[in-house]
Amino acid sequence: MQKRFPSLSGYGVTWSANKRVAIVALVITALLIIAATTAWFTGRGEHSESTSAPSQESSSSPSEAAPKPAAGSGSAPKPPQISEPVAFAKAAAAMLWSYDTRDTDRDQQLAGMGAWMTKETKYADWASVSGQVPDPLLWSRMADQNQHATGTVTEGHYPGAFKQALAEDPSAITEAYIYVVTVNGRQQIEWKKGGGGAEERAVTLAVQCRPSHDCRLAGIAPSVTQ
């Protein structure tokens, strides 16, 4: 029986216990209070700077800034021109659940994903996005098996806590215009010799949608909030 390699979206960066607890706590706060959503990403960046030395020990730990797609992005799709948060989050989720190691190397995949990120580094949590990509060794093994995946979205919505907070203080979001959206869908994975399978997927994203601007991805929450 052919060995199945881990799917791209299920492979994340390894965080220390203290860092994981801190991030989860900040995410919960962000969902309950819209103003705290901005604080999550601001604090996330400051935390990364203060722990830059330990983070370099992980092969999946990226730099703070998303890479420039100078070398091309292979099969990774370009971000759509969408100014509505839920619609953009659905497109972003499909992008995160899709990859093709047959014609896209790891650097190209990262570059393609980086093109979806907000250029406002104060609010960009690139580590949470790039952490979805396997390390170079695992990516090469996936490529040996011609592994590729296609993500499809069934629905996207604002979590209940976020909608409640938005209703209680609509003006709080106007500082960063970051919206929290949960997307549900499915990922179809295939590899050579007819191997394949499908998995249900769910992700909670933070997307920035400033007025009169296309939306951009700000980060991925470490846990799904419905």
Side-chain angles (χ1 to χ4, degrees), residues 33-78:
I33 306 174
I34 296 177
T37 305
T38 301
W40 172 36
F41 290 99
T42 303
R44 181 75 165 78
E46 293 172 351
H47 182 77
S48 297
E49 292 176 1
S50 63
T51 59
S52 58
S55 66
Q56 291 174 355
E57 297 176 2
S58 171
S59 60
S60 298
S61 295
S63 59
E64 291 182 8
K68 296 180 180 179
S73 56
S75 61
K78 295 181 179 180

Side-chain angles (χ1 to χ4, degrees), residues 21-142:
V21 171
I23 292 174
V24 171
L26 287 172
V27 172
I28 293 174
T29 302
L31 291 172
L32 294 177
I33 306 174
I34 296 177
T37 305
T38 301
W40 172 36
F41 290 99
T42 303
R44 181 75 165 78
E46 293 172 351
H47 182 77
S48 297
E49 292 176 1
S50 63
T51 59
S52 58
S55 66
Q56 291 174 355
E57 297 176 2
S58 171
S59 60
S60 298
S61 295
S63 59
E64 291 182 8
K68 296 180 180 179
S73 56
S75 61
K78 295 181 179 180
Q81 295 180 323
I82 296 176
S83 58
E84 198 281 315
V86 174
F88 180 84
K90 291 167 67 175
M95 177 274 296
L96 291 169
W97 296 333
S98 303
Y99 61 91
D100 194 336
T101 64
R102 297 171 300 179
D103 59 12
T104 306
D105 62 33
R106 184 175 182 274
D107 289 341
Q108 288 176 320
Q109 183 71 23
L110 286 169
M113 294 165 69
W116 289 66
M117 296 296 295
T118 175
K119 299 302 186 289
E120 297 184 43
T121 56
K122 179 180 180 181
Y123 306 118
D125 185 7
W126 171 237
S128 68
V129 177
S130 62
Q132 304 299 306
V133 180
D135 63 41
L137 178 59
L138 182 54
W139 185 273
S140 68
R141 290 179 176 176
M142 291 164 61

